Amino acid sequence: MSVSRRTVLAVAAGATATAVSPADAARVSGEQSPASAARALRAAADYAVGKLHTVAPGVTGFPVGTKFEKWTYSQNGDWVGGFWPGTLWMAYLHSGDDVFRTLALDSARKLAPRRHDTTTHDLGFLFYPSWVTAWRLTGDDSWRTGAIEAAESLIQRYNPRGRFIRAWGALNDPNNAGRVIMDTIMNLDLLAFAGRQTGDGKYLDIAVEHAKTAQRVFPRPDGSTPHVYDFDPETGAPIGPNTVQGYSPASCWSRGQAWGIYGFTTMYRRTGDQEFLSTARRLADFAVGALSPDHVPVWDYKAPQAPYDIKDASAGAVMACGLLDLSAAADRRDYRQIALRILTALSESCLTKNSARAEAIVARCTRNRPAEDGIEVSLPYADYYLLEGILRVLQPQDVDRAIDLSTV
């Protein structure tokens, strides 16, 4: 079933041709990439906007994943609530349609109770693409204030003995008290934002300490990473690698690797610390070397069936954004070229164009393969990061207005 579905998607995704301006082609291609890449990216963005025009008015919560191609919802946002308003903001930037602006603001407001949630490390995922972006694009200071409140909640999870931010569980819950996961690196930019806005160094200090800890324990000599690393929460002593969503503690879950590429590059941009840039490059070089010729990441680069196993398009979308960021930060055009190939591959072989009932934009995603949860589905972060990546290429000034691409 999965093979035939992929084949159908690949054939269907190539059916639409969209005109591309010379400016778009120049931004995409420089001297090496053909204008056809720009056409593919613009066609994918146009498809996404059309899909959202149809689906968004009927969305009744925060999409968390699809079942039989229809969104299932969380009413409080789970860990993914920021990606739906974030996707609407990207659609607004691409189309200029105020309908998306209104829907993005309405959706973001529903996250307000989560500002004071100290039970999760995912406050960056929840509040950066929703509230920080809302403030940057509207100037309404209530969004800025709320994002800072969320950052204050996030730093409550910092363990000063181990110098890490705890991933999961309530603060008074001993289970998982020493558990750190690669994903957390992507939540640190909320702390950097709060530090810039308040002038209080505690936020960035905690972000830097966590990033340095992650930098010390996650990367292996070959540049691959485990999903999880455990510490003794009482002493801060390291215990060792583990996994939840990867194949094993010794494998390399592709989305976690992508979070690392993007997150360490962001930490370099916020601090100027060359070690963070070096770490991002090590992780990127491994992931680029592990890509199969179709440029859609397998769900785990070191699983026994890799590279012929189930794919995860969401890992590709995150990785592409990270590589575009890294290309600019490191002045390495080859990273940009790989990012363009990934975005083009996702645009041509991973969209939901073949299905009239599909509510998402991106197919071929994997949420949690070991738990048999969400395989060959759509996921909200795939939609968000695909649009972010495409607009980073075609409309970089607009993305900069939304999420801040600056470097100190």
Side-chain angles (χ1 to χ4, degrees):
M1 175 66 75
S2 62
V3 173
S4 61
R5 182 181 179 190
R6 291 174 191 163
T7 302
V8 170
L9 284 168
V11 172
T16 302
T18 301
V20 60
S21 71
D24 285 340
R27 276 192 292 270
V28 173
S29 60
E31 297 177 355
Q32 300 180 25
S33 255
S36 60
R39 284 194 294 272
L41 299 189
R42 181 160 291 282
D46 291 344
Y47 172 75
V49 166
K51 177 66 72 175
L52 289 166
H53 263 302
T54 301
V55 172
V59 166
T60 59
F62 295 100
V64 297
T66 55
K67 184 174 183 179
F68 299 113
E69 300 181 287
K70 300 294 185 182
W71 284 125
T72 61
Y73 298 111
S74 165
Q75 293 307 311
N76 78 346
D78 197 82
W79 74 271
V80 299
F83 295 121
W84 178 247
T87 300
L88 295 169
W89 280 123
M90 293 298 113
Y92 167 70
L93 293 177
H94 183 60
S95 67
D97 191 332
D98 283 335
V99 168
F100 293 125
R101 182 183 187 276
T102 299
L103 289 171
L105 292 171
D106 289 346
S107 178
R109 288 188 189 98
K110 296 176 183 177
L111 290 172
R114 301 295 300 278
R115 291 172 295 168
H116 308 296
D117 185 351
T118 61
T119 69
T120 177
H121 70 132
D122 285 316
L123 292 166
F125 284 134
L126 287 168
F127 283 92
Y128 205 103
S130 57
W131 286 50
V132 172
T133 296
W135 173 68
R136 290 181 63 83
L137 293 180
T138 70
D140 182 341
D141 205 52
S142 63
W143 299 111
R144 170 187 172 274
T145 301
I148 294 169
E149 291 173 332
E152 184 66 28
S153 297
L154 179 56
I155 64 172
Q156 306 310 307
R157 302 182 64 76
Y158 181 65
N159 182 319
R161 294 173 296 279
R163 297 184 178 181
F164 62 81
I165 293 172
R166 171 183 178 170
W168 296 321
L171 297 179
N172 60 357
D173 183 353
N175 295 319
N176 295 313
R179 178 147 284 194
V180 179
I181 66 174
M182 180 57 77
D183 316 38
T184 307
I185 195 76
M186 285 292 290
N187 289 291
L188 301 183
D189 203 22
L190 181 67
L191 301 183
F193 170 80
R196 291 194 304 276
Q197 295 302 312
T198 64
D200 191 334
K202 68 181 180 181
Y203 298 105
L204 186 59
D205 287 347
I206 288 174
V208 167
E209 288 302 316
H210 177 92
K212 286 183 175 178
T213 298
Q215 181 175 256
R216 187 177 72 251
V217 302
F218 275 96
R220 304 184 182 106
D222 66 356
S224 67
T225 59
H227 177 210
V228 172
Y229 200 94
D230 288 321
F231 294 84
D232 182 320
E234 299 301 323
T235 67
I239 294 173
N242 211 321
T243 197
V244 172
Q245 288 173 261
Y247 180 80
S248 77
S251 72
C252 184
W253 178 50
S254 62
R255 192 161 68 247
Q257 190 80 4
W259 295 138
I261 296 165
Y262 197 162
F264 278 111
T265 304
T266 301
M267 285 302 296
Y268 164 72
R269 289 198 293 107
R270 302 306 182 215
T271 65
D273 188 327
Q274 289 288 331
E275 288 300 313
F276 292 146
L277 183 64
S278 176
T279 299
R281 290 181 58 179
R282 287 175 61 198
L283 270 57
D285 290 345
F286 174 83
V288 168
L291 282 175
S292 51
D294 66 357
H295 287 87
V296 181
V298 69
W299 75 278
D300 189 306
Y301 293 124
K302 293 190 174 186
Q305 301 304 317
Y308 307 108
D309 208 336
I310 296 294
K311 296 288 188 173
D312 182 10
S314 74
V318 175
M319 180 178 171
C321 290
L323 288 175
L324 289 170
D325 218 5
L326 184 57
S327 174
D331 193 22
R332 285 277 301 273
R333 184 164 181 80
D334 53 333
Y335 290 137
R336 180 177 175 86
Q337 294 299 318
I338 296 295
L340 291 173
R341 291 172 195 162
I342 294 171
L343 290 172
T344 302
L346 298 180
S347 298
E348 293 179 341
S349 68
C350 296
L351 301 188
T352 58
K353 288 183 177 182
N354 192 57
S355 174
R357 62 176 279 119
E359 293 184 337
I361 298 161
V362 181
R364 300 180 69 189
C365 299
T366 299
R367 181 164 45 210
N368 189 335
R369 180 72 173 88
E372 296 294 328
D373 172 28
I375 298 169
E376 289 284 354
V377 298
S378 295
L379 298 168
Y381 32 97
D383 287 5
Y384 171 77
Y385 286 109
L386 177 66
L387 271 177
E388 182 194 304
I390 289 173
L391 296 190
R392 275 174 172 268
V393 174
L394 297 180
Q395 299 171 229
Q397 295 85 357
D398 289 328
V399 176
D400 186 31
R401 285 198 299 124
I403 65 173
D404 185 7
L405 302 180
S406 65
T407 301
V408 297

